[in-house]
Amino acid sequence: MAVRRKLSGPCTAWPEDSAFIREVLDRIGDKWTVLVISTLASGPLRYSDLHASVPGISQRMLTVTVKELERDGLVTRTAYPEVPPRVVYELTELGQSLREAVLALAGWAAGHHEAVAAHRAQHVLTGVGRAAAAGPR
Amino acid sequence: MAVRRKLSGPCTAWPEDSAFIREVLDRIGDKWTVLVISTLASGPLRYSDLHASVPGISQRMLTVTVKELERDGLVTRTAYPEVPPRVVYELTELGQSLREAVLALAGWAAGHHEAVAAHRAQHVLTGVGRAAAAGPR
DNA sequence: CAGAATCCCCACGGATACTG
DNA sequence: CAGTATCCGTGGGGATTCTG
C-alpha cells in the first residue's frame, strides 16, 4: 500500500475506490448500526436484551437497524413461536467480518484522537477561525 | 483481537471501543469527508481544482468539510496573497493515516459487497419484508 | 478565485401510542 | 415480548447570491 501514486493527469474521477467507500459508509455511517453490530459480537441476543444493551436507542431505530442488517445478511433473525414471543438476533460470519474491519477504524481513532484533539485545541488558541474576542452576535 | 469476550454480566456498556468508533464515525460518517480526503491523497490541490475533482459537491460543503479537516489537523491550508487568490489544500501525515484506515474499510466492501447484494436480492425473493405483489401505494 | 451568508427542503431519528 | 404506526423536531446539506 501507499504506492505513492504519481499525481500525473487531472484525473477527474477515482478508480473504483470511492464507490466502495460510499457503499460501506452508507451501511455503517448511520447512528446505530455499528453499535448494534458491536453488541451482537459478544453473542446472540434477543430483542429486549439488545435494546437494553444499546443505551439510548429507541425501539423504532433498533427495529429498523436490525431489519436492514438482516436484509444484508449481517445478522440472522430467529423467532420462536412461544407464548411470550422470543426473537434472537445473531451476527453472521459476514457481520463478524464487517465488525473486524470497523475495529480497525476504531484502532486508528485510539491511536490518533489525541493528536486530533491537540490540533483542534491549538486551532482554537491560534484564533484561525475568528478574530480574538469577537463580540457575541 | 477477537478475544472472544465471555458474555458474563449484563454489561450495560462496552469497554471503550464504542467511544472511539463514534468518534471516527462522527468524523468520516458524513457525505463528503472521505471523498475529499481520497482526492487530496493524490496530491495538493487548490480550491477550484478540488471542487472540480469531487463531482457533485457544493461550494458550501467543500468549504465546510475542508475547514473541519483543517481544524483537526488532517489537511493544511495555504493561502497565497496574490491578485487572483490561490489557496492550496494538502493532506497531512495524520490525514494520510486516516485515509489508509478508510481504505481498509473499502477493502472489506470490495470483498463482500457481492455477498451482501446476493443476500439482499434473496431476501426480496423470499418475500420476507412484504406480501408478494403488494400494490403500489 | 475563494469563500461567506442566507434560504430552504427533507431524510434521519426520537417520543409516544397501539397491536399480535 | 416484539414489534408497528404515526407524528414531529432537528440539522445535514443543496441552490443561490453576495463579497474581498
Side-chain angles (χ1 to χ4, degrees):
Chain A
M1 60 187 72
V3 271
R4 181 173 283 285
R5 170 180 310 158
K6 62 178 91 168
L7 46 124
S8 50
C11 182
T12 50
W14 311 273
E16 302 89 39
D17 295 343
S18 60
F20 290 133
I21 293 179
R22 290 305 278 270
E23 188 174 325
V24 71
L25 241 42
D26 285 344
R27 177 95 280 110
I28 69 170
D30 66 18
K31 200 172 179 182
W32 299 110
T33 297
V34 292
L35 280 311
V36 170
I37 289 180
S38 294
T39 304
L40 247 24
S42 306
L45 284 176
R46 47 193 299 184
Y47 187 87
S48 55
D49 292 338
L50 192 50
H51 189 210
S53 297
V54 184
I57 196 173
S58 61
Q59 304 90 322
R60 179 181 133 82
M61 279 297 118
L62 210 223
T63 301
V64 169
T65 301
V66 113
K67 212 179 270 184
E68 290 183 352
L69 288 177
E70 186 202 2
R71 191 195 55 169
D72 290 354
L74 300 176
V75 307
T76 58
R77 192 193 104 114
T78 312
Y80 299 88
E82 302 174 355
V83 186
R86 184 163 56 104
V87 177
V88 174
Y89 293 94
E90 183 170 12
L91 214 57
T92 64
E93 292 286 328
L94 196 57
Q96 182 67 30
S97 70
L98 177 54
R99 178 180 164 262
E100 311 263 345
V102 171
L103 277 185
L105 254 202
W108 180 89
H112 297 285
H113 79 114
E114 269 191 57
V116 170
H119 205 282
R120 197 180 294 193
Q122 190 64 32
H123 202 267
V124 174
L125 292 178
T126 317
V128 184
R130 278 290 110 191
R137 200 246 174 297
Chain B
M1 58 187 73
V3 272
R4 182 172 282 283
R5 170 178 310 153
K6 62 178 92 169
L7 46 123
S8 50
C11 183
T12 50
W14 311 271
E16 302 88 39
D17 295 344
S18 60
F20 290 134
I21 293 180
R22 290 307 277 270
E23 189 173 325
V24 72
L25 241 43
D26 287 344
R27 177 97 281 111
I28 69 170
D30 66 19
K31 199 174 180 182
W32 299 109
T33 297
V34 293
L35 280 311
V36 170
I37 289 180
S38 294
T39 303
L40 248 22
S42 305
L45 284 178
R46 45 193 301 181
Y47 187 86
S48 53
D49 292 338
L50 192 51
H51 188 208
S53 298
V54 183
I57 196 172
S58 61
Q59 303 90 326
R60 179 181 135 80
M61 282 332 282
L62 212 223
T63 302
V64 169
T65 302
V66 113
K67 211 180 269 182
E68 289 182 354
L69 289 176
E70 186 202 3
R71 191 194 55 169
D72 291 353
L74 299 177
V75 307
T76 57
R77 193 193 103 116
T78 312
Y80 299 89
E82 302 172 354
V83 185
R86 183 164 57 103
V87 178
V88 174
Y89 293 95
E90 184 170 12
L91 214 58
T92 65
E93 291 287 328
L94 197 57
Q96 183 66 30
S97 70
L98 176 54
R99 177 179 166 264
E100 310 264 344
V102 171
L103 277 185
L105 254 202
W108 180 89
H112 297 284
H113 79 113
E114 268 192 58
V116 170
H119 205 281
R120 197 180 294 194
Q122 189 64 32
H123 201 267
V124 174
L125 291 178
T126 317
V128 185
R130 279 289 111 191
R137 173 69 191 92

